[in-house]
Amino acid sequence: MSNSFSELLIKHENPKLIALLDDMVAKSSIFDFVKIEQNTTGYVVEASNFFYIHTGASYTKIYLNNDLLVEDLTCECLAFHKNGICLHTIILFGIALLKIKNSVFLSEKHKYEEFVERRKNSIALTALTDSLKKNNLFYNSIHLVPVIEELDYKYELSLRIGYDKYYVVKNINEFLINIDNNIECSYGKKLSFVHSYECLDQTSKELYSFLVNIKTDDVEKSIKIKKSHVLSILELYKNQVIFFKTKKEDKAKEKLIKEIKDINIVLDSKKLYISHELNRLLLGVNNAYFFDDENIYYYQYKSIIENKILDVLFTLNGELNIESLSDEFISNLLPMIKNSIMIKEDFYDKYPIPNVGIDTFLYYENQEIILEYKLSCDEKEKNSPYINQEIENYINVIESYDFKLNSEKKYCIKGIDEQYKFLTSDLSNIKSLGNIYFDESMNKIKIKKTSKTSIRVSYNVGLLDFKFENSKLTQQDIIEMLKAYHQKKKFVKLNDDSILEIDEAEAKEINDFMEDFNISLNDLENDISKPLNYILKIINANDENVIVDDKVYEMMEDIRNYSNSNYM
């Protein structure tokens, strides 16, 4: 074996070891921790009773040669039987060196401390190096700039690269290969760097991932892309510069993508039009992009219907003339768009619009949310095309909230998921058409959120009693929640008709605890008792939701203290 003291310290590094060794060294002048017997080959070192009292060991012995290296060691602790070395044998070695030759003990301990310091600095050095390698600033934040050219019914994408001056990427596939393989490559005379994902700034990293997904094997200087790809790039480069060439422009121009908020769809007595005069329009899901000679403006829709209106208006060079189509416009289109546009007073002066409101009445019956509506307008206007379109528009709105006609020809919501969605929805679309009235019965169907369920454990004459408690849920509610979790449901209707949203993480935590402690759903309906040995599971569980009474806590502390008394 022939190991030095510092070698054993490094081999069996343990935070408890050094603390305990230092404590025993400090007390070595008071307590005789070792029995040392010298012979021709070296030293036989055996632990004394004081050693056992301070370490919790039962029998520890080592053999040192004349060079004060350990030749053999033994201990009756579990760690020694598993690993052939333990905390007790190393401490006995250190105390023996202290007694035989103090200078050797101090030298060996100093070697170990130097090792720890070197390793700490090495770890810090590696971490700092890795951090700098991943820090874009270290590489001057290499930036990719997309160049988009609009062609007939399609687009082409090429790239420029740099950080203070931009160079053309001549082959996109080759560029992607260089990134994947950390290959050094030059652009012009002044830009040369080892390509890697880490050297790109955040936006460029996202563009790189985008390119990987859309590239083909034959890609060289440019990639043919779709309108959806263009919209993705515009979204990615908001508030940044790209190069863009429309069909009307001679070459790609550097354009800043910046937000514009004051765009409106306006209706006056003559036309429906866009408030800004802009050259080009691209419509996305959430934003519209307007182009002029200098910039690209992104506009976030105020309502989803603006997307459709802008699309039609742009095909008509920005405006829809209504003078010759006023009756058709007022009867069919106006009721659907009036809440999403700006209407000028001269329109109302020229075209008097019927004053109409549709009030909504909601009540809860037979586990269904039922809706009824009432039209309020002048009697003579009831059958006008405008009113009919308002009603049709209203029906479309309530159907968007999942209301459907039942067998009694009433609009209702039956499903739990749909009811939850309605109860947590913004009802402004319905409110814009009239008042909403809630019957008292609607108070029954409330939304509940899953709160923390605690498990209370108490001692009861040789047994452990388990009780599941929740400040917002009854015992039966907890059972229903877990049943829904097993069925992978997001919501469950409780006995009081309220809807509980299942917190999957919380339900899983309770379910895992029950599985670990062999508790079934049926057990939750009765008193739950388990054998006393389950206290070991509670100690190992380390679950913040478990609350124990004083007796159980006392028993757990006794077990922990017994375990900690053996320094292994």
Side-chain angles (χ1 to χ4, degrees), residues 3-7 9 21 43 64-70 93-113:
N3 286 127
S4 68
F5 181 56
S6 60
E7 288 171 340
L9 283 173
L21 176 63
Y43 302 86
L64 306 180
N65 61 24
N66 286 321
D67 293 325
L68 297 182
L69 302 176
V70 68
F93 190 0
I95 299 295
L97 286 181
L98 181 70
K99 294 292 185 182
I100 297 168
K101 197 167 185 179
N102 185 38
S103 61
V104 174
F105 168 75
L106 294 175
S107 174
E108 288 293 302
K109 191 164 181 285
H110 182 65
K111 286 180 185 177
Y112 169 72
E113 289 167 348

Side-chain angles (χ1 to χ4, degrees), residues 39-195:
N39 54 38
T40 56
T41 59
Y43 302 86
V44 178
V45 183
E46 191 172 352
S48 70
N49 289 333
F50 289 118
F51 182 91
Y52 298 137
I53 291 169
H54 277 75
T55 64
S58 54
Y59 179 75
T60 310
K61 190 174 184 179
I62 62 172
Y63 299 88
L64 306 180
N65 61 24
N66 286 321
D67 293 325
L68 297 182
L69 302 176
V70 68
E71 294 290 345
D72 195 14
L73 39 78
T74 185
C75 186
E76 290 187 353
C77 75
L78 183 60
F80 185 84
H81 284 293
K82 283 183 178 179
N83 306 313
I85 192 170
C86 66
L87 174 149
H88 309 124
T89 51
I90 297 173
I91 290 177
L92 187 64
F93 190 0
I95 299 295
L97 286 181
L98 181 70
K99 294 292 185 182
I100 297 168
K101 197 167 185 179
N102 185 38
S103 61
V104 174
F105 168 75
L106 294 175
S107 174
E108 288 293 302
K109 191 164 181 285
H110 182 65
K111 286 180 185 177
Y112 169 72
E113 289 167 348
E114 283 185 329
F115 163 79
V116 172
E117 185 67 20
R118 277 198 311 275
R119 187 179 63 179
K120 183 173 71 174
N121 285 297
S122 175
I123 291 170
L125 177 64
T126 301
L128 180 58
T129 303
D130 289 344
S131 175
L132 287 175
K133 283 181 179 179
K134 294 175 182 177
N135 191 325
N136 294 329
L137 295 176
F138 182 73
Y139 294 94
N140 292 315
S141 299
I142 298 298
H143 187 58
L144 294 177
V145 184
V147 182
I148 300 172
E149 183 175 353
E150 183 184 24
L151 306 173
D152 290 330
Y153 308 109
K154 62 181 179 181
Y155 300 85
E156 278 191 353
L157 169 68
S158 55
L159 294 178
R160 296 186 187 180
I161 189 169
Y163 58 86
D164 56 356
K165 180 181 179 181
Y166 294 111
Y167 300 85
V168 173
V169 176
K170 295 180 179 178
N171 190 308
I172 294 176
N173 258 351
E174 186 179 298
F175 167 76
L176 297 176
I177 292 169
N178 291 342
I179 291 285
D180 289 340
N181 295 282
N182 300 113
I183 295 172
E184 185 172 2
C185 187
S186 300
Y187 301 86
K189 295 181 179 179
K190 294 186 177 180
L191 181 63
S192 179
F193 63 97
V194 176
H195 287 47

Side-chain angles (χ1 to χ4, degrees), residues 312-447:
V312 171
L313 289 180
F314 197 77
T315 62
L316 298 171
N317 294 319
E319 60 182 52
L320 169 66
N321 191 307
I322 68 166
E323 286 187 294
S324 61
L325 302 167
S326 59
D327 289 344
E328 186 179 349
F329 175 82
I330 293 169
S331 299
N332 297 327
L333 185 59
L334 182 60
M336 291 189 285
I337 69 171
K338 65 178 183 179
N339 295 314
S340 301
I341 64 175
M342 179 186 293
I343 304 177
K344 293 197 168 182
E345 285 299 321
D346 66 335
F347 172 81
Y348 289 114
D349 292 341
K350 187 171 182 179
Y351 304 106
I353 301 299
N355 187 18
V356 61
I358 303 177
D359 292 335
T360 301
F361 301 86
L362 295 163
Y363 61 95
Y364 185 68
E365 185 176 272
N366 297 326
Q367 297 196 334
E368 296 178 355
I369 297 176
I370 298 175
L371 177 148
E372 294 180 354
Y373 65 89
K374 183 179 179 182
L375 181 68
S376 60
C377 65
D378 291 340
E379 193 66 30
K380 61 183 179 180
E381 300 283 358
K382 274 195 173 180
N383 295 318
S384 72
Y386 179 83
I387 299 296
N388 290 336
Q389 185 59 53
E390 280 278 37
I391 295 172
E392 184 180 332
N393 185 39
Y394 176 82
I395 298 302
N396 288 334
V397 168
I398 64 173
E399 285 180 346
S400 71
Y401 289 92
D402 293 313
F403 280 98
K404 294 179 175 60
L405 284 172
N406 63 13
S407 57
E408 298 176 1
K409 302 298 182 184
K410 293 181 178 179
Y411 282 97
C412 69
I413 302 178
K414 292 182 179 181
I416 297 173
D417 289 20
E418 291 77 12
Q419 288 181 1
Y420 179 90
K421 179 183 173 183
F422 174 74
L423 293 171
T424 56
S425 291
D426 176 10
L427 303 183
S428 57
N429 287 340
I430 301 178
K431 289 178 182 176
S432 66
L433 301 170
N435 297 317
I436 301 179
Y437 299 95
F438 293 88
D439 185 76
E440 286 186 5
S441 58
M442 288 294 293
N443 293 329
K444 291 181 66 178
I445 183 168
K446 293 180 179 177
I447 298 299

